[in-house]
Amino acid sequence: HLVLLFSLFLAPAFADKESQKTTQNLPSNNASHKRLKRDWIWNQMHIKEEIDTQLPHHVGKITSSVRNNNAKYIIEGEYANTIFKVDESTGDIYAFERLDREKKAEYELAALIIDRRNNQSLEPPSKFIIKVYDINDNAPVFVQKVFNGSVPEMSPVGTSVTKVTAVDADDPTVSGHATVTYQVIKGDEYFTVDNSGVISTTRPDLDREKQSTYEIVVKAKDAPGFSGDSSTATVIITLSDINDNFPVFKQSSFHFKVPENISVGGEVGRVKVEDIDEPQHRNTKYSFVRGDYRDTFEIVANPYTNEGIIRPKKPLDFEKVAEYRFDIEATDPTVDLRYFKSGGSRSISTVTIEVTDVDEPPVFTKLPYEFKVRENDPEIRTLGSVWAHDPDAAKRKIRFIRRRASPSGDYIRVSDTGIIQLPKPLDREFSSSFNITVAAQEMLEDGRLSDRESHAHVHVIVTDENDNAPELVYPEEPRVCENAAPGKVIIRISATDRDEISPRGFFKYSLATEDSNFSLIENYDNTANITVRYGQFNRELAKIHYLPVIISDNGVPELSSINTLVISVCKCDEEGNYTFCEERAKQVGVSVQALVAIFICIFTIIVIVLLILLRKRHKKDLSDLGRSVAEIHEQLVRYDEEGGGEMDTTSYDVSLLNSVRKNGMKPEAVPYPYAQVQKPPGNMTSGAGEMEMMIEVKKDEADNDRDLLPYDTLHIYAYEGAESIAESLSSLASGSSDSDIDYDFLNDWGPRFKMLAELYGLEP
């Protein structure tokens, strides 16, 4: 009703405003002529939704002050001439459909008046709005069909769980049309809901372990006093867990069997409890209630399974205790006592552990073993013994064996009965202590050794005897200026002793001879100073001085050694700085391994050299004949060489040819690789005959020796055949096949052919 009254007051004002706009927009033909004021006139238009009377429904009427019999009303705009239509004569507007405010609450249209004859506008158009009034025809609807909520169990009354929401599509500006109220229609004995939709608890004893989820139904409807439909929604509420329950043993007693050789910390067994709280709230602690075995066993809770794991804290022994029995209790220190359910009994269970017998290795009676022995004492052969026994009822015999030794070597032995023996005296300077590992094994009934053994560590300490003289710690090269003054400290020396030095022990230093320009002064801190006695050294007489120093210890017996200190005499400037010193040859030590390596290398080189020489000698013997042929080839093959004239007497070494002839070597009869040609016999002379014989021998060697190269001079050009017009191109065969030729004409060819003339000519 208030909205309707407001619309009635607003309509005239709106109409007046529109008329003013119309008046302002009208054109004027004359400034002095004024047109009459024209206004649109209509009532405020509104209509209720869902009117159940017959269509059409009258909405309102538009009216204009224009007085024209040909005037015609029309409307334009949204849904004009579809849902809304106007009577063109009277201006009445009708709705031809039932309206729903929830779909559309108002419609904006425009009113026009025109001349029927020419459709000219008689008045500017004016906009108006048709409002649809709400009739509260919609029930509240939940935004979702199922809601979820959670609340800790055992929460106090009024604890908020969750919130539900429903919306009403009706006009919220109309009182009571869009107001929603809520009500729990299922589960109201556990939960309630207020008008804002907040669900809360109504009981303080909601126990998750009894019921973990609740499904309630909430109804939403219009405000009281208004009729209308309602809607419902389902709310699923889950109780979250709190730690309000103690663990309970699943069994009243537990029985375990375990071998006696179980390792310390190994698992004997597991006891199980039941905690109805969720895993994150299970913090079981186990404790002993009765039984004096807290020092033998411990119970540790597994954080994942909540089980109690029983472990031994020390070795078990079947022969001593064969069975253990004790009571344990399971508790949870993190339980919230505010919600603890009183009246429950303590969770206690009995545990029985039965120890079974196993074949155990021998047990040493003492660990570890330690012995002391003087070094280099030949009389001590036995240090003591180790002992082990069989812990089992069989009580077998034990055999002892040495397993490991440090340092390695046969320094300490162990007999089968466990006696520690020394095969030879020990040297403390080699090692001040010796360690061995002794294994004890049981001897079975058939004489074999058991595969189970135990070990003991034996430590032998070697006490020191004064058997080493002190030695000089050689400093860097000591030097002294040739003009050094008396008392000048040259160097401070110290000593070392491989034997042990008592805290109060000091070395004693002295010079082996007093006949020197040096003196020794002890510092009584195991060091001594070498000083200049007289001064003024003469480099011309001695540039290096060798000073023997005696060093003694205070042991029993007292031992001493003579050590030589090499002192160089140097030239110095006025300030005492060394300017020139003699270089001393430094001793270079070479280890035995290096010497062996050097000797092996030298021996290898010698062997290789000998093999090379023998090979060359062998090749020389095998190639004597080849060497002669090669040299002859060098002399004879080059038949095209003209020579160096009369003075050239070394180009052709005839003596080499003669040496072959004198050796009288005959070739072996082998098949000829080339066809043999019968040469006609010729007359031989003394000089040419010898040459002919030598050449024939060489030809036969070349023809019959398959290993030699086929020299073209001998093989190809040796003989051209009887029918050859050119005859032989070589002069090598001329001595035998062409003996009728006179070579004396060579004497007429000049000095360059003198050597050939002497070889082949008949005349001297």
Side-chain angles (χ1 to χ4, degrees):
H1 300 296
L2 293 176
V3 176
L4 181 59
L5 292 175
F6 177 75
S7 300
L8 293 175
F9 282 103
L10 185 61
F14 181 81
D16 183 69
K17 186 176 180 180
E18 290 295 330
S19 64
Q20 290 178 4
K21 290 182 179 180
T22 305
T23 304
Q24 292 176 359
N25 294 330
L26 289 176
S28 59
N29 296 329
N30 194 337
S32 62
H33 182 263
K34 295 182 180 180
R35 296 184 62 182
L36 295 176
K37 182 180 180 181
R38 297 177 180 178
D39 295 326
W40 284 100
I41 301 173
W42 58 73
N43 295 327
Q44 177 66 31
M45 294 186 187
H46 56 82
I47 185 173
K48 288 184 178 182
E49 65 173 337
E50 302 294 346
I51 300 175
D52 56 357
T53 58
Q54 185 177 359
L55 293 173
H57 300 148
H58 185 266
V59 178
K61 184 176 183 178
I62 56 176
T63 304
S64 174
S65 59
V66 175
R67 298 292 182 262
N68 190 332
N69 294 330
N70 295 318
K72 175 183 177 182
Y73 292 100
I74 61 175
I75 59 175
E76 294 179 352
E78 190 177 21
Y79 303 105
N81 302 316
T82 55
I83 296 178
F84 301 102
K85 294 181 180 180
V86 62
D87 188 330
E88 60 183 20
S89 299
T90 63
D92 290 318
I93 296 176
Y94 296 91
F96 284 80
E97 291 183 9
R98 289 182 174 82
L99 304 180
D100 188 352
R101 194 203 67 85
E102 284 69 41
K103 292 182 178 179
K104 193 170 183 63
E106 58 183 31
Y107 299 85
E108 183 177 355
L109 302 173
L112 295 91
I113 184 169
I114 60 175
D115 192 335
R116 295 176 185 271
R117 296 170 298 180
N118 52 19
N119 290 332
Q120 293 293 324
S121 177
L122 300 178
E123 192 76 27
S126 179
K127 294 182 180 180
F128 64 95
I129 295 175
I130 301 175
K131 292 185 177 181
V132 182
Y133 284 167
D134 185 48
I135 61 172
N136 195 15
D137 57 343
N138 292 280
V141 178
F142 284 98
V143 295
Q144 59 194 65
K145 297 300 293 181
V146 178
F147 293 86
N148 293 282
S150 177
V151 64
E153 63 174 332
M154 311 302 290
S155 296
V157 175
T159 302
S160 176
V161 178
T162 186
K163 183 178 181 179
V164 295
T165 302
V167 295
D168 194 333
D170 291 326
D171 190 357
T173 62
V174 180
S175 176
H177 281 202
T179 302
V180 180
T181 60
Y182 301 93
Q183 179 184 0
V184 178
I185 60 176
K186 177 185 177 183
D188 55 344
E189 67 271 25
Y190 304 109
F191 302 95
T192 185
V193 61
D194 58 16
N195 290 333
S196 62
V198 176
I199 299 175
S200 57
T201 61
T202 60
R203 297 179 57 170
D205 57 350
L206 297 178
D207 192 350
R208 188 198 67 87
E209 287 70 35
K210 294 181 179 179
Q211 184 176 349
S212 59
T213 59
Y214 294 85
E215 183 176 313
I216 65 174
V217 178
V218 179
K219 182 176 70 173
K221 62 178 182 178
D222 284 334
F226 290 84
S227 60
D229 295 331
S230 62
S231 62
T232 60
T234 301
V235 181
I236 299 175
I237 300 174
T238 303
L239 298 183
S240 58
D241 184 52
I242 64 173
N243 193 5
D244 58 343
N245 294 279
F246 283 101
V248 178
F249 281 109
K250 290 185 176 181
Q251 302 172 215
S252 60
S253 63
F254 296 89
H255 186 273
F256 304 102
K257 283 187 177 182
V258 60
E260 63 175 334
N261 63 345
I262 184 173
S263 60
V264 175
E267 182 175 326
V268 174
R270 299 192 177 197
V271 293
K272 297 182 179 181
V273 295
E274 182 180 12
D275 191 338
I276 58 179
D277 289 326
E278 291 186 350
Q280 67 271 20
H281 293 142
R282 298 171 185 172
N283 301 297
T284 304
K285 301 297 179 184
Y286 298 90
S287 59
F288 292 90
V289 179
R290 287 182 295 272
D292 298 330
Y293 301 114
R294 293 179 178 85
D295 59 339
T296 306
F297 298 96
E298 64 178 353
I299 305 178
V300 181
N302 187 312
Y304 303 102
T305 63
N306 212 33
E307 297 173 318
I309 304 174
I310 302 177
R311 295 191 177 102
K313 297 170 62 177
K314 62 182 182 181
L316 304 182
D317 191 346
F318 170 80
E319 286 71 28
K320 293 182 179 180
V321 180
E323 184 179 274
Y324 297 87
R325 186 186 298 271
F326 48 84
D327 293 341
I328 58 175
E329 180 182 15
T331 59
D332 188 347
T334 61
V335 169
D336 193 342
L337 298 179
R338 294 178 300 172
Y339 309 109
F340 172 64
K341 307 171 186 64
S342 60
S345 59
R346 298 171 63 188
S347 182
I348 298 176
S349 181
T350 301
V351 177
T352 302
I353 299 176
E354 180 181 348
V355 182
T356 60
D357 187 24
V358 295
D359 185 11
E360 298 177 273
V363 177
F364 282 93
T365 56
K366 178 183 177 182
L367 289 175
Y369 293 89
E370 183 175 289
F371 303 97
K372 290 186 178 181
V373 60
R374 295 193 308 271
E375 68 170 330
N376 300 324
D377 191 342
E379 297 180 358
I380 300 177
R381 293 298 181 182
T382 302
L383 297 181
S385 62
V386 295
W387 181 252
H389 67 279
D390 182 6
D392 298 322
K395 302 300 179 184
R396 299 187 180 99
K397 293 182 179 181
I398 307 300
R399 181 178 177 181
F400 299 92
I401 304 172
R402 196 190 78 165
R403 289 300 188 199
R404 291 179 294 273
S406 176
S408 60
D410 188 21
Y411 300 105
I412 300 177
R413 297 176 181 174
V414 180
S415 67
D416 294 345
T417 58
I419 299 175
I420 308 299
Q421 301 171 339
L422 296 180
K424 59 183 178 179
L426 301 179
D427 187 3
R428 195 201 68 87
E429 283 68 44
F430 172 73
S431 179
S432 61
S433 64
F434 294 81
N435 299 279
I436 63 172
T437 300
V438 179
Q441 291 181 301
E442 298 177 4
M443 298 183 65
L444 303 178
E445 288 73 10
D446 56 0
R448 294 182 299 105
L449 294 178
S450 172
D451 56 353
R452 300 181 61 81
E453 64 180 42
S454 56
H455 302 88
H457 179 70
V458 178
H459 181 57
V460 178
I461 300 174
V462 183
T463 59
D464 185 45
E465 294 292 326
N466 192 25
D467 57 346
N468 292 278
E471 299 175 353
L472 178 67
V473 178
Y474 284 93
E476 303 215 350
E477 303 174 357
R479 296 178 294 181
V480 62
C481 294
E482 61 179 344
N483 57 352
K488 172 69 175 178
V489 177
I490 299 174
I491 194 171
R492 172 175 288 189
I493 61 175
S494 60
T496 182
D497 195 335
R498 297 176 63 191
D499 295 323
E500 290 183 355
I501 302 176
S502 63
R504 295 177 296 176
F506 291 97
F507 296 123
K508 290 184 288 186
Y509 299 88
S510 61
L511 297 179
T513 178
E514 296 295 332
D515 187 16
S516 68
N517 196 11
F518 301 96
S519 60
L520 185 146
I521 301 175
E522 289 202 47
N523 297 321
Y524 301 103
D525 60 351
N526 279 342
T527 64
N529 292 337
I530 303 298
T531 61
V532 179
R533 176 177 292 182
Y534 306 114
Q536 297 300 324
F537 293 90
N538 190 348
R539 281 176 48 84
E540 300 299 330
L541 296 177
K543 297 177 181 179
I544 296 176
H545 291 265
Y546 298 92
L547 183 65
V549 179
I550 301 174
I551 306 175
S552 304
D553 59 18
N554 61 346
V556 179
E558 183 177 276
L559 300 177
S560 62
S561 65
I562 299 177
N563 305 265
T564 301
L565 193 63
V566 182
I567 303 175
S568 301
V569 180
C570 304
K571 293 181 179 181
C572 300
D573 56 17
E574 296 179 355
E575 298 179 355
N577 298 320
Y578 302 108
T579 58
F580 178 76
C581 293
E582 297 296 332
E583 291 292 336
R584 294 183 298 176
K586 296 183 178 180
Q587 296 181 353
V588 179
V590 180
S591 64
V592 176
Q593 293 83 354
L595 290 175
V596 172
I598 293 173
F599 288 143
I600 291 175
C601 293
I602 294 174
F603 178 76
T604 304
I605 293 173
I606 293 173
V607 171
I608 293 173
V609 171
L610 290 176
L611 291 175
I612 293 174
L613 293 176
L614 291 174
R615 185 173 182 272
K616 287 184 176 180
R617 179 67 179 270
H618 183 65
K619 291 177 65 177
K620 181 178 179 182
D621 295 340
L622 293 177
S623 61
D624 281 343
L625 182 59
R627 175 178 176 274
S628 300
V629 174
E631 292 180 357
I632 295 171
H633 175 262
E634 180 65 24
Q635 300 294 331
L636 299 179
V637 167
R638 300 189 181 185
Y639 52 84
D640 58 341
E641 185 174 345
E642 294 183 1
E646 294 181 357
M647 302 303 295
D648 186 2
T649 59
T650 61
S651 296
Y652 300 96
D653 191 359
V654 181
S655 62
L656 182 64
L657 300 176
N658 293 331
S659 64
V660 177
R661 177 178 60 81
K662 291 178 181 179
N663 289 336
M665 298 176 63
K666 299 290 182 178
E668 296 180 1
V670 295
Y672 290 104
Y674 303 100
Q676 301 296 313
V677 179
Q678 184 67 32
K679 299 179 178 62
N683 299 326
M684 298 183 184
T685 60
S686 61
E690 292 180 358
M691 179 65 69
E692 180 183 19
M693 183 181 297
M694 181 274 300
I695 292 177
E696 287 294 335
V697 171
K698 291 301 178 183
K699 286 169 56 181
D700 292 338
E701 291 178 358
D703 291 340
N704 298 319
D705 192 350
R706 299 178 181 179
D707 295 332
L708 293 178
L709 295 175
Y711 297 115
D712 58 350
T713 300
L714 299 178
H715 290 185
I716 300 175
Y717 304 110
Y719 187 72
E720 294 295 335
E723 285 80 21
S724 174
I725 298 176
E727 298 182 346
S728 177
L729 298 180
S730 174
S731 61
L732 299 178
S734 60
S736 59
S737 61
D738 298 330
S739 60
D740 55 338
I741 298 176
D742 186 6
Y743 288 98
D744 290 340
F745 64 88
L746 294 175
N747 294 318
D748 300 333
W749 285 13
R752 301 186 65 178
F753 294 93
K754 181 180 179 180
M755 182 65 69
L756 289 176
E758 292 178 355
L759 292 174
Y760 295 100
L762 297 177
E763 296 180 0

